[in-house]
Amino acid sequence: MHFHLPRVQSFSHAVDQVRDVIKHYRHEKDSEAHVIFRQAAGHKPKGVFPQIVNPEEETVPGIEHPGSTGVIYCSERAIANGFSYTDSHSWANLGQGAPEVGPIPNAPPRPSYINMPTDSLEYAPTTGVKALREAVANLYNHTYRKGKASQYTYENVCIVPGGRSGLSRVAAVIGDVYTSYQVPDYTAYDQVLSAFRRLVPVPTALEPEKKYRLDINQVKKDILTQGLAVVLASNPRNPTGQVIKGNDLKDLVQLGREGTTIILDEFYSWYIYPDSEKDFGKSISCAEYIEDVNEDAVVIVDGLTKNWRLPGWRVCWVVGPKNLVTALSQSGSFLDGGANHPLQLAAIPLLDPARVLEEKISLQKHFKHKRDHVLKRLRELGLDVDIPPTSTFYIWLNLEKLPAPLNNGLTFFEELLKEQTIVIPGIFFDINPSHRRNLFNSPCHHFVRLSFGPPLEDLDKGIDAMGRVLKKAKKEGMKGFGHNYKKSMDGESSPIEERIRGHDTSHTL
């Protein structure tokens, strides 16, 4: 009979474990921050039968909300807490994915005016001004394709009014295909994959244990076993701050010669932080590994927004084979009509290779200093960054070690709004077009993305706010967190918030 005793003890222990799991189980319906998120237009689960129409979301018959990007949702929540774009000095906006646009040390002067010849008041071609297209092609050849037989020409370049427009034009000309994407990645891919339904999304979860490295061998297997026709990715990576480079990037480009289209969003290609002084001024692009610019099925999206620190210009480009550019001209004619004509002309001298090198070096040194400063201050608060960024201007901060409910990104975000600071909850980078997953099960649930794009004084203001939240938690405990979030500027609560507040949220959270 003695041999049964360990089994009884094991069973009892198992029961205790199950009870413990149930006791500590967390679901998005128990969190005020998550309920508010789901109530926003376009954030309800999709593809669930029977399909329920939310009358508050239906503007006209047949119209449905695609869901907002992280920045838009977070900005709207900030406005509900008193944030204003016209008077934002009291706030620290570490959420928006934009670099500081003012002068930085040793950089060329910022553009302060533009000429507008009469011809520029006309529409520009949907593919863009030819001289700017030539300047883009020349810059890629000079930077990445010296000595190669195949060179880009203006026919390989399409100018577009912003990166999202570039992605939308590309998505509009892709047929019914399986499209690979990774989690976490750029929040706007969620909307692109939702709106352009001929792209059938196939996710791959990147593992933090491998520093969010894209496993090229696994991609190759997926192409064979799942019939992937398109691979979409940001490189360098938003939000993790990592980068595909060297042989990994070379192998990824090789897939573009083997029947798979590779679309790389390279907006952070200059934001590379070398350890050696001699490596400042170097940047990353798959253009370095392309053999034939008209045969390799590789598409590059980039522009003035991040690298040149001119987000307000909305002048960007798509680089790829000639026949792709012809298709993009056609999709652009009905999607956006083309980029701003005067600003395209003003952009041409900014692409001079000598000026670009000067811009790169100053940018990399300045943003590396900001990165190191923010990492140091976070470390002093006990917020160690598991995987520090080697590129971009983002920090992918894991909150898992904080006490609940501060250990999830959406609640941490709402608490920082009370301190006049904006970050982006990690769930927005969980590219999940159908929105079916319980948000507490998302691999990005415990994360927030911090941008060190803004000026240093704004970064310090935001980190000071995080310090106040953590100090309050340590001093007063957790009962003050996870509730009392404003629904609107007048402070009115929704019925569902009132229902939540009718319970003791210090227990349910």
Side-chain angles (χ1 to χ4, degrees), residues 170-179 196-200 229-230:
V170 173
V173 299
I174 294 176
D176 299 296
V177 296
Y178 287 115
T179 302
F196 294 91
R197 296 177 184 178
R198 296 182 69 188
L199 284 71
V200 181
V230 175

mmCIF file with all atom_site columns, all heavy atoms in Angstrom, residues 170-179 196-200 229-230:
data_model
loop_
_atom_site.group_PDB
_atom_site.id
_atom_site.type_symbol
_atom_site.label_atom_id
_atom_site.label_alt_id
_atom_site.label_comp_id
_atom_site.label_asym_id
_atom_site.label_entity_id
_atom_site.label_seq_id
_atom_site.pdbx_PDB_ins_code
_atom_site.Cartn_x
_atom_site.Cartn_y
_atom_site.Cartn_z
_atom_site.occupancy
_atom_site.B_iso_or_equiv
_atom_site.pdbx_formal_charge
_atom_site.auth_seq_id
_atom_site.auth_comp_id
_atom_site.auth_asym_id
_atom_site.auth_atom_id
_atom_site.pdbx_PDB_model_num
ATOM 1   N N   . VAL A 1 170 ? 1.450   48.661 -52.295 1.00 0.00 ? 170 VAL A N   1
ATOM 2   C CA  . VAL A 1 170 ? 1.985   47.315 -52.536 1.00 0.00 ? 170 VAL A CA  1
ATOM 3   C C   . VAL A 1 170 ? 0.916   46.270 -52.249 1.00 0.00 ? 170 VAL A C   1
ATOM 4   O O   . VAL A 1 170 ? 0.697   45.342 -53.042 1.00 0.00 ? 170 VAL A O   1
ATOM 5   C CB  . VAL A 1 170 ? 3.243   47.074 -51.675 1.00 0.00 ? 170 VAL A CB  1
ATOM 6   C CG1 . VAL A 1 170 ? 3.697   45.617 -51.795 1.00 0.00 ? 170 VAL A CG1 1
ATOM 7   C CG2 . VAL A 1 170 ? 4.377   48.004 -52.104 1.00 0.00 ? 170 VAL A CG2 1
ATOM 8   N N   . ALA A 1 171 ? 0.222   46.408 -51.107 1.00 0.00 ? 171 ALA A N   1
ATOM 9   C CA  . ALA A 1 171 ? -0.800  45.434 -50.729 1.00 0.00 ? 171 ALA A CA  1
ATOM 10  C C   . ALA A 1 171 ? -1.921  45.368 -51.763 1.00 0.00 ? 171 ALA A C   1
ATOM 11  O O   . ALA A 1 171 ? -2.500  44.304 -52.016 1.00 0.00 ? 171 ALA A O   1
ATOM 12  C CB  . ALA A 1 171 ? -1.371  45.779 -49.355 1.00 0.00 ? 171 ALA A CB  1
ATOM 13  N N   . ALA A 1 172 ? -2.220  46.522 -52.376 1.00 0.00 ? 172 ALA A N   1
ATOM 14  C CA  . ALA A 1 172 ? -3.318  46.590 -53.344 1.00 0.00 ? 172 ALA A CA  1
ATOM 15  C C   . ALA A 1 172 ? -3.013  45.833 -54.631 1.00 0.00 ? 172 ALA A C   1
ATOM 16  O O   . ALA A 1 172 ? -3.947  45.487 -55.372 1.00 0.00 ? 172 ALA A O   1
ATOM 17  C CB  . ALA A 1 172 ? -3.644  48.048 -53.667 1.00 0.00 ? 172 ALA A CB  1
ATOM 18  N N   . VAL A 1 173 ? -1.733  45.570 -54.917 1.00 0.00 ? 173 VAL A N   1
ATOM 19  C CA  . VAL A 1 173 ? -1.391  44.886 -56.167 1.00 0.00 ? 173 VAL A CA  1
ATOM 20  C C   . VAL A 1 173 ? -0.956  43.440 -55.939 1.00 0.00 ? 173 VAL A C   1
ATOM 21  O O   . VAL A 1 173 ? -0.514  42.765 -56.863 1.00 0.00 ? 173 VAL A O   1
ATOM 22  C CB  . VAL A 1 173 ? -0.289  45.659 -56.944 1.00 0.00 ? 173 VAL A CB  1
ATOM 23  C CG1 . VAL A 1 173 ? -0.777  47.045 -57.290 1.00 0.00 ? 173 VAL A CG1 1
ATOM 24  C CG2 . VAL A 1 173 ? 1.022   45.735 -56.164 1.00 0.00 ? 173 VAL A CG2 1
ATOM 25  N N   . ILE A 1 174 ? -1.085  42.966 -54.695 1.00 0.00 ? 174 ILE A N   1
ATOM 26  C CA  . ILE A 1 174 ? -0.761  41.571 -54.401 1.00 0.00 ? 174 ILE A CA  1
ATOM 27  C C   . ILE A 1 174 ? -2.027  40.741 -54.524 1.00 0.00 ? 174 ILE A C   1
ATOM 28  O O   . ILE A 1 174 ? -3.085  41.117 -54.020 1.00 0.00 ? 174 ILE A O   1
ATOM 29  C CB  . ILE A 1 174 ? -0.165  41.430 -52.983 1.00 0.00 ? 174 ILE A CB  1
ATOM 30  C CG1 . ILE A 1 174 ? 1.200   42.143 -52.905 1.00 0.00 ? 174 ILE A CG1 1
ATOM 31  C CG2 . ILE A 1 174 ? 0.014   39.960 -52.614 1.00 0.00 ? 174 ILE A CG2 1
ATOM 32  C CD1 . ILE A 1 174 ? 1.818   42.140 -51.528 1.00 0.00 ? 174 ILE A CD1 1
ATOM 33  N N   . GLY A 1 175 ? -1.930  39.592 -55.176 1.00 0.00 ? 175 GLY A N   1
ATOM 34  C CA  . GLY A 1 175 ? -3.091  38.739 -55.392 1.00 0.00 ? 175 GLY A CA  1
ATOM 35  C C   . GLY A 1 175 ? -3.451  37.920 -54.172 1.00 0.00 ? 175 GLY A C   1
ATOM 36  O O   . GLY A 1 175 ? -3.050  38.223 -53.049 1.00 0.00 ? 175 GLY A O   1
ATOM 37  N N   . ASP A 1 176 ? -4.231  36.866 -54.375 1.00 0.00 ? 176 ASP A N   1
ATOM 38  C CA  . ASP A 1 176 ? -4.685  36.001 -53.281 1.00 0.00 ? 176 ASP A CA  1
ATOM 39  C C   . ASP A 1 176 ? -3.535  35.082 -52.873 1.00 0.00 ? 176 ASP A C   1
ATOM 40  O O   . ASP A 1 176 ? -3.334  34.015 -53.468 1.00 0.00 ? 176 ASP A O   1
ATOM 41  C CB  . ASP A 1 176 ? -5.891  35.178 -53.733 1.00 0.00 ? 176 ASP A CB  1
ATOM 42  C CG  . ASP A 1 176 ? -7.059  36.067 -54.118 1.00 0.00 ? 176 ASP A CG  1
ATOM 43  O OD1 . ASP A 1 176 ? -7.575  36.769 -53.231 1.00 0.00 ? 176 ASP A OD1 1
ATOM 44  O OD2 . ASP A 1 176 ? -7.428  36.076 -55.311 1.00 0.00 ? 176 ASP A OD2 1
ATOM 45  N N   . VAL A 1 177 ? -2.814  35.474 -51.832 1.00 0.00 ? 177 VAL A N   1
ATOM 46  C CA  . VAL A 1 177 ? -1.609  34.737 -51.451 1.00 0.00 ? 177 VAL A CA  1
ATOM 47  C C   . VAL A 1 177 ? -1.487  34.654 -49.937 1.00 0.00 ? 177 VAL A C   1
ATOM 48  O O   . VAL A 1 177 ? -2.017  35.491 -49.200 1.00 0.00 ? 177 VAL A O   1
ATOM 49  C CB  . VAL A 1 177 ? -0.332  35.406 -52.010 1.00 0.00 ? 177 VAL A CB  1
ATOM 50  C CG1 . VAL A 1 177 ? -0.314  35.378 -53.522 1.00 0.00 ? 177 VAL A CG1 1
ATOM 51  C CG2 . VAL A 1 177 ? -0.191  36.846 -51.499 1.00 0.00 ? 177 VAL A CG2 1
ATOM 52  N N   . TYR A 1 178 ? -0.763  33.645 -49.487 1.00 0.00 ? 178 TYR A N   1
ATOM 53  C CA  . TYR A 1 178 ? -0.394  33.542 -48.079 1.00 0.00 ? 178 TYR A CA  1
ATOM 54  C C   . TYR A 1 178 ? 0.763   34.501 -47.813 1.00 0.00 ? 178 TYR A C   1
ATOM 55  O O   . TYR A 1 178 ? 1.794   34.470 -48.490 1.00 0.00 ? 178 TYR A O   1
ATOM 56  C CB  . TYR A 1 178 ? 0.010   32.112 -47.734 1.00 0.00 ? 178 TYR A CB  1
ATOM 57  C CG  . TYR A 1 178 ? -1.166  31.152 -47.683 1.00 0.00 ? 178 TYR A CG  1
ATOM 58  C CD1 . TYR A 1 178 ? -1.261  30.111 -48.590 1.00 0.00 ? 178 TYR A CD1 1
ATOM 59  C CD2 . TYR A 1 178 ? -2.164  31.308 -46.725 1.00 0.00 ? 178 TYR A CD2 1
ATOM 60  C CE1 . TYR A 1 178 ? -2.336  29.235 -48.557 1.00 0.00 ? 178 TYR A CE1 1
ATOM 61  C CE2 . TYR A 1 178 ? -3.245  30.446 -46.680 1.00 0.00 ? 178 TYR A CE2 1
ATOM 62  C CZ  . TYR A 1 178 ? -3.327  29.411 -47.595 1.00 0.00 ? 178 TYR A CZ  1
ATOM 63  O OH  . TYR A 1 178 ? -4.403  28.545 -47.562 1.00 0.00 ? 178 TYR A OH  1
ATOM 64  N N   . THR A 1 179 ? 0.570   35.347 -46.806 1.00 0.00 ? 179 THR A N   1
ATOM 65  C CA  . THR A 1 179 ? 1.552   36.391 -46.495 1.00 0.00 ? 179 THR A CA  1
ATOM 66  C C   . THR A 1 179 ? 2.104   36.174 -45.089 1.00 0.00 ? 179 THR A C   1
ATOM 67  O O   . THR A 1 179 ? 1.357   36.219 -44.106 1.00 0.00 ? 179 THR A O   1
ATOM 68  C CB  . THR A 1 179 ? 0.908   37.787 -46.588 1.00 0.00 ? 179 THR A CB  1
ATOM 69  O OG1 . THR A 1 179 ? 0.378   37.962 -47.907 1.00 0.00 ? 179 THR A OG1 1
ATOM 70  C CG2 . THR A 1 179 ? 1.923   38.873 -46.300 1.00 0.00 ? 179 THR A CG2 1
ATOM 71  N N   . PHE A 1 196 ? -6.756  44.706 -46.697 1.00 0.00 ? 196 PHE A N   1
ATOM 72  C CA  . PHE A 1 196 ? -6.492  44.088 -48.004 1.00 0.00 ? 196 PHE A CA  1
ATOM 73  C C   . PHE A 1 196 ? -6.611  42.570 -47.837 1.00 0.00 ? 196 PHE A C   1
ATOM 74  O O   . PHE A 1 196 ? -5.634  41.886 -47.541 1.00 0.00 ? 196 PHE A O   1
ATOM 75  C CB  . PHE A 1 196 ? -5.118  44.504 -48.521 1.00 0.00 ? 196 PHE A CB  1
ATOM 76  C CG  . PHE A 1 196 ? -5.018  45.972 -48.830 1.00 0.00 ? 196 PHE A CG  1
ATOM 77  C CD1 . PHE A 1 196 ? -4.593  46.858 -47.862 1.00 0.00 ? 196 PHE A CD1 1
ATOM 78  C CD2 . PHE A 1 196 ? -5.381  46.478 -50.067 1.00 0.00 ? 196 PHE A CD2 1
ATOM 79  C CE1 . PHE A 1 196 ? -4.516  48.228 -48.129 1.00 0.00 ? 196 PHE A CE1 1
ATOM 80  C CE2 . PHE A 1 196 ? -5.310  47.831 -50.345 1.00 0.00 ? 196 PHE A CE2 1
ATOM 81  C CZ  . PHE A 1 196 ? -4.874  48.714 -49.371 1.00 0.00 ? 196 PHE A CZ  1
ATOM 82  N N   . ARG A 1 197 ? -7.819  42.075 -48.049 1.00 0.00 ? 197 ARG A N   1
ATOM 83  C CA  . ARG A 1 197 ? -8.136  40.709 -47.642 1.00 0.00 ? 197 ARG A CA  1
ATOM 84  C C   . ARG A 1 197 ? -7.670  39.653 -48.632 1.00 0.00 ? 197 ARG A C   1
ATOM 85  O O   . ARG A 1 197 ? -7.876  38.454 -48.413 1.00 0.00 ? 197 ARG A O   1
ATOM 86  C CB  . ARG A 1 197 ? -9.634  40.593 -47.364 1.00 0.00 ? 197 ARG A CB  1
ATOM 87  C CG  . ARG A 1 197 ? -10.007 41.478 -46.186 1.00 0.00 ? 197 ARG A CG  1
ATOM 88  C CD  . ARG A 1 197 ? -11.474 41.486 -45.878 1.00 0.00 ? 197 ARG A CD  1
ATOM 89  N NE  . ARG A 1 197 ? -11.752 42.429 -44.790 1.00 0.00 ? 197 ARG A NE  1
ATOM 90  C CZ  . ARG A 1 197 ? -12.956 42.678 -44.320 1.00 0.00 ? 197 ARG A CZ  1
ATOM 91  N NH1 . ARG A 1 197 ? -13.999 42.053 -44.832 1.00 0.00 ? 197 ARG A NH1 1
ATOM 92  N NH2 . ARG A 1 197 ? -13.128 43.553 -43.339 1.00 0.00 ? 197 ARG A NH2 1
ATOM 93  N N   . ARG A 1 198 ? -7.074  40.084 -49.729 1.00 0.00 ? 198 ARG A N   1
ATOM 94  C CA  . ARG A 1 198 ? -6.499  39.100 -50.649 1.00 0.00 ? 198 ARG A CA  1
ATOM 95  C C   . ARG A 1 198 ? -5.159  38.599 -50.110 1.00 0.00 ? 198 ARG A C   1
ATOM 96  O O   . ARG A 1 198 ? -4.622  37.608 -50.606 1.00 0.00 ? 198 ARG A O   1
ATOM 97  C CB  . ARG A 1 198 ? -6.322  39.713 -52.033 1.00 0.00 ? 198 ARG A CB  1
ATOM 98  C CG  . ARG A 1 198 ? -7.647  40.114 -52.685 1.00 0.00 ? 198 ARG A CG  1
ATOM 99  C CD  . ARG A 1 198 ? -7.428  40.666 -54.079 1.00 0.00 ? 198 ARG A CD  1
ATOM 100 N NE  . ARG A 1 198 ? -6.996  39.636 -55.009 1.00 0.00 ? 198 ARG A NE  1
ATOM 101 C CZ  . ARG A 1 198 ? -6.592  39.879 -56.256 1.00 0.00 ? 198 ARG A CZ  1
ATOM 102 N NH1 . ARG A 1 198 ? -6.565  41.127 -56.710 1.00 0.00 ? 198 ARG A NH1 1
ATOM 103 N NH2 . ARG A 1 198 ? -6.223  38.896 -57.047 1.00 0.00 ? 198 ARG A NH2 1
ATOM 104 N N   . LEU A 1 199 ? -4.630  39.292 -49.086 1.00 0.00 ? 199 LEU A N   1
ATOM 105 C CA  . LEU A 1 199 ? -3.435  38.825 -48.395 1.00 0.00 ? 199 LEU A CA  1
ATOM 106 C C   . LEU A 1 199 ? -3.890  37.968 -47.218 1.00 0.00 ? 199 LEU A C   1
ATOM 107 O O   . LEU A 1 199 ? -4.484  38.476 -46.267 1.00 0.00 ? 199 LEU A O   1
ATOM 108 C CB  . LEU A 1 199 ? -2.595  39.990 -47.874 1.00 0.00 ? 199 LEU A CB  1
ATOM 109 C CG  . LEU A 1 199 ? -1.753  40.789 -48.869 1.00 0.00 ? 199 LEU A CG  1
ATOM 110 C CD1 . LEU A 1 199 ? -2.626  41.632 -49.775 1.00 0.00 ? 199 LEU A CD1 1
ATOM 111 C CD2 . LEU A 1 199 ? -0.790  41.704 -48.101 1.00 0.00 ? 199 LEU A CD2 1
ATOM 112 N N   . VAL A 1 200 ? -3.634  36.678 -47.282 1.00 0.00 ? 200 VAL A N   1
ATOM 113 C CA  . VAL A 1 200 ? -4.040  35.777 -46.208 1.00 0.00 ? 200 VAL A CA  1
ATOM 114 C C   . VAL A 1 200 ? -2.914  35.733 -45.178 1.00 0.00 ? 200 VAL A C   1
ATOM 115 O O   . VAL A 1 200 ? -1.816  35.253 -45.468 1.00 0.00 ? 200 VAL A O   1
ATOM 116 C CB  . VAL A 1 200 ? -4.330  34.361 -46.746 1.00 0.00 ? 200 VAL A CB  1
ATOM 117 C CG1 . VAL A 1 200 ? -4.777  33.446 -45.611 1.00 0.00 ? 200 VAL A CG1 1
ATOM 118 C CG2 . VAL A 1 200 ? -5.373  34.418 -47.858 1.00 0.00 ? 200 VAL A CG2 1
ATOM 119 N N   . ALA A 1 229 ? 3.786   33.021 -50.211 1.00 0.00 ? 229 ALA A N   1
ATOM 120 C CA  . ALA A 1 229 ? 4.198   33.715 -51.431 1.00 0.00 ? 229 ALA A CA  1
ATOM 121 C C   . ALA A 1 229 ? 4.824   35.070 -51.136 1.00 0.00 ? 229 ALA A C   1
ATOM 122 O O   . ALA A 1 229 ? 5.541   35.612 -51.970 1.00 0.00 ? 229 ALA A O   1
ATOM 123 C CB  . ALA A 1 229 ? 3.004   33.906 -52.364 1.00 0.00 ? 229 ALA A CB  1
ATOM 124 N N   . VAL A 1 230 ? 4.533   35.619 -49.945 1.00 0.00 ? 230 VAL A N   1
ATOM 125 C CA  . VAL A 1 230 ? 5.034   36.946 -49.578 1.00 0.00 ? 230 VAL A CA  1
ATOM 126 C C   . VAL A 1 230 ? 5.525   36.905 -48.135 1.00 0.00 ? 230 VAL A C   1
ATOM 127 O O   . VAL A 1 230 ? 4.879   36.305 -47.268 1.00 0.00 ? 230 VAL A O   1
ATOM 128 C CB  . VAL A 1 230 ? 3.923   38.016 -49.711 1.00 0.00 ? 230 VAL A CB  1
ATOM 129 C CG1 . VAL A 1 230 ? 4.413   39.378 -49.202 1.00 0.00 ? 230 VAL A CG1 1
ATOM 130 C CG2 . VAL A 1 230 ? 3.451   38.133 -51.152 1.00 0.00 ? 230 VAL A CG2 1
#
